[in-house]
């Protein structure tokens, strides 16, 4: 039996052709719909759903995402259609971004770069990442990648998950844990439980001069509350995501002190597409064998 799988590009065709029984066909939004779309059983995509999608693809039984976040799709998939994420593809690059921004902040690299531009030679002592205490909120693939990397810098890591288990604290322990850590890193999916999780009370529990790092979704943080803390100079932050996003001109986040800001690029690295398709191949191999994909979304995640 041959299963038609729709992919967004020729790279997907090449990657999925290695799976026995799979016939990959390029399907791009906004372009003429290929004749095979009506019989397609699987859609592989890095985009969100659209109104016409299900009319064009009436027989799809599995949507395989090329991204880790499923929030754009949750509640918009017809009954009986499976949804699987690309968890495992982008954890390394996201963790690498966190390490990069922390080193930039603690070692004062922005100031040295400014001195370079001004042709000003000034030696000074900086802080260090060594010995810092990091609270990693999100104990999944991203969190595990980050813990492994931070521990090589002698950072003491504490993991927090939605529920407590061996080696992982529960989210209900955050009020006690937050004051004990120099760094708090957000690596959680966007759900009804995490939306607005980082509010004024959460931020107030962080110790003076602590760093908040957000590499999850902008809506996890209450922006006005963070702006207030940064404007006071009490906390620092590194954000790869914001709410709103893209950040409009004139927004207070552009000008607050103590903020290192990047435009949602933590996962935008070379080889990201190959890593995403490697996960898609693994997930589709399970599906073709009659098994459920390992990254199947249950509920919101």
């Amino acid at each position: 039996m041959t299963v038609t799988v729709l992919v967004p590009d020729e790279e997907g065709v090449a990657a999925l052709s290695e799976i026995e029984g799979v016939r990959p066909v390029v399907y791009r939004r906004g372009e003429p719909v290929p004749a095979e779309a009506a019989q397609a059983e699987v859609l592989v995509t890095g985009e969100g759903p659209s109104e016409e999608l299900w009319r064009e693809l009436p027989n799809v039984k599995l949507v395989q995402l090329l991204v880790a976040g499923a929030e754009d799709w949750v509640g918009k998939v017809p009954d009986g259609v499976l949804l699987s994420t690309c968890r495992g593809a982008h954890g390394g690059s996201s963790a690498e971004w966190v390490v990069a921004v922390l080193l930039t902040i603690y070692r004062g690299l922005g100031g040295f770069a400014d001195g370079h531009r001004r042709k000003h030679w000034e030696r000074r002592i900086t802080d260090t990442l060594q010995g810092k205490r990091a609270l990693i909120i999100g104990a999944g693939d991203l969190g595990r990648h980050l813990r492994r990397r931070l521990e090589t810098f002698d950072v003491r890591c504490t993991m927090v998950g939605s529920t407590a288990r061996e080696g992982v604290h529960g989210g209900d322990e955050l009020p006690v844990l937050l004051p004990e850590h120099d760094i708090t890193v957000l690596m959680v999916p966007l759900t009804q439980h995490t939306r607005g999780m980082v509010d004024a009370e959460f931020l107030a529990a962080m110790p003076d001069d602590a760093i908040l790092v957000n590499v999850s979704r902008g809506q996890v943080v209450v922006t006005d509350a963070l702006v207030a803390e940064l404007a006071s100079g009490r906390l620092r932050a590194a954000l790869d995501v914001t709410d709103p996003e893209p950040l409009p001109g004139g927004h207070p986040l552009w000008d607050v002190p103590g903020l290192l800001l990047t435009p949602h690029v933590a996962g935008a690295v070379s080889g990201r597409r190959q890593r995403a398709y490697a996960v898609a191949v693994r997930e589709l191999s399970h599906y073709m064998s009659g098994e459920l994909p390992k990254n199947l979304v249950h509920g919101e995640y």
Side-chain angles (χ1 to χ4, degrees), residues 90-100 142 145-146 149 187 215:
H90 309 300
S93 54
S94 296
E96 184 179 82
W97 178 89
V98 174
V99 173
L142 272 68
H145 272 283
L146 179 59
R149 286 161 173 78
M187 306 188 96
V215 71

Side-chain angles (χ1 to χ4, degrees), residues 10 20 26 53 67 73 102 133 152 173 178 184 187 206 209 235 241 249 262 270 296 298:
E10 294 297 337
E20 185 177 354
V26 174
L53 183 66
V67 295
W73 287 85
L102 289 174
R133 303 160 300 172
T152 65
E173 299 177 66
L178 284 166
T184 294
M187 306 188 96
M206 296 175 64
D209 212 32
L235 297 179
V241 289
T262 61
S270 58
L296 203 62
H298 301 280

